[in-house]
Amino acid sequence: MSRTLVAFHAHPDDEALLTAGTLAKAAAAGHRVVLVVATDGALGLTSDDLRDGLGDRRLTELARSATAMGVARVIHLGYADSGMTGEIPADPPGGQRFGRATTEEAAQLLAAILREEHADVLMSYDAAGGYGHRDHVKVHEVGARAAELAGTPRVLEATVPRELLTRVISCVGHFYRFPADFDLGVYERAFTPRAQVTHRIDVRRQIPAKRAAMAAHASQAAADEGADRTLALFLRIPRPIYDLVFGREWFRDPAHTGPVSDDIFAGLP
Ligand SMILES: [Zn+2]
């Protein structure tokens, strides 16, 4: 039976890092996959020469990533990036920063898409918002409310088992100097404890699609001379380690009971 999966993300490139394998796997199995981003990611880090028009550039990169994953439709919910640090900047002309939108109003927009698509599954974020970016925390809140409004049967919170993440990061730290935008401490209170993970998806066969999705976000691997970026670092990890780290994806379904599942659509009405 063909299902519809709507994946809700904060910024272009989040879909590639956390969920590309699962989205590509669902699409390859003949399910309809719809990708929604809250913001255009215009405040993401990049090199100075890419700063102008970064939002448009990142939406173009997102379209390329979507093609690599077999996504049927891409939608920008219309909000502006809230940025990571300090106060939320002033709204851009004619726009509103996602962090300043009310959860209810953003959830109404997402719920309209869930209804139109007859979504079986909404993919969202864990309550920590992954590593804690305010737009990611907001995705969790908006996603939960939108699914409630639209009556979407299943919400899967994309995450990583916290214990695995901290172990891998400290291991990688023996071989690589971490880039300037990397804060190890963040990961000790980020994402989800392993005991709360309900779905573990094997995406080893989707690694080429996942690497292509990551590589599509070229602006996010770019930095000024002397700097380095997390995405660029991930793509340089030797394949055996990359496959170990990125060959599985994890989710938490707050309503799930029983053993960890390997199929995001199993048991749906
Ligand atoms: Zn993000």
Side-chain angles (χ1 to χ4, degrees):
M1 177 179 189
S2 176
R3 301 287 193 175
T4 297
L5 165 63
V6 174
F8 182 40
H9 284 281
H11 313 103
D13 88 345
D14 293 319
E15 85 294 347
L17 283 167
L18 283 173
T19 65
T22 306
L23 301 188
K25 189 171 190 169
H31 302 294
R32 178 170 171 82
V33 180
V34 175
L35 178 56
V36 182
V37 284
T39 82
D40 60 3
L43 296 183
L45 299 169
T46 192
S47 57
D48 277 345
D49 55 322
L50 298 183
R51 175 55 57 195
D52 278 352
L54 182 62
D56 288 340
R57 182 186 298 270
R58 292 194 66 185
L59 289 173
T60 303
E61 292 172 347
L62 181 70
R64 214 168 292 145
S65 164
T67 301
M69 297 181 295
V71 165
R73 182 184 179 196
V74 183
I75 302 158
H76 172 210
L77 211 53
Y79 292 104
D81 194 340
S82 309
M84 225 149 87
T85 50
E87 299 275 295
I88 299 175
D91 288 338
Q96 184 184 32
R97 303 224 177 260
F98 189 41
R100 207 169 272 132
T102 69
T103 297
E104 194 61 25
E105 128 201 342
Q108 296 278 2
L109 293 177
L110 181 59
I113 296 166
L114 294 173
R115 286 192 199 100
E116 182 194 338
E117 291 286 349
H118 304 283
D120 297 291
V121 176
L122 170 67
M123 207 176 260
S124 175
Y125 295 158
D126 61 20
Y131 64 93
H133 188 300
R134 55 189 160 215
D135 284 339
H136 289 227
V137 175
K138 189 99 183 180
V139 161
H140 168 78
E141 292 163 0
V142 169
R145 178 64 181 141
E148 201 173 83
L149 289 170
T152 304
R154 178 169 296 164
V155 177
L156 289 177
E157 301 174 356
T159 191
V160 178
R162 184 183 297 161
E163 298 86 345
L164 174 75
L165 194 69
T166 50
R167 203 167 69 233
V168 167
I169 288 171
S170 63
C171 169
V172 170
H174 292 301
F175 302 99
Y176 291 94
R177 197 159 51 87
F178 283 115
D181 63 338
F182 199 90
D183 173 7
L184 179 59
V186 163
Y187 293 87
E188 279 154 14
R189 48 188 186 275
F191 294 95
T192 301
R194 176 186 293 283
Q196 292 177 22
V197 169
T198 60
H199 291 71
R200 184 179 56 237
I201 311 303
D202 181 344
V203 299
R204 281 172 297 183
R205 292 181 64 184
Q206 284 72 42
I207 292 268
K210 187 166 181 169
R211 288 183 72 89
M214 285 170 74
H217 296 283
S219 70
Q220 295 309 290
D224 293 318
E225 206 183 332
D228 200 357
R229 299 295 313 283
T230 303
L231 188 64
L233 170 97
F234 285 160
L235 283 169
R236 282 205 318 276
I237 296 173
R239 270 305 290 270
I241 299 178
Y242 180 98
D243 290 9
L244 195 71
V245 177
F246 292 100
R248 288 164 296 171
E249 291 173 351
W250 299 268
F251 301 90
R252 173 178 180 261
D253 171 0
H256 181 88
T257 53
V260 172
S261 172
D262 62 1
D263 178 356
I264 63 169
F265 299 114
L268 277 168

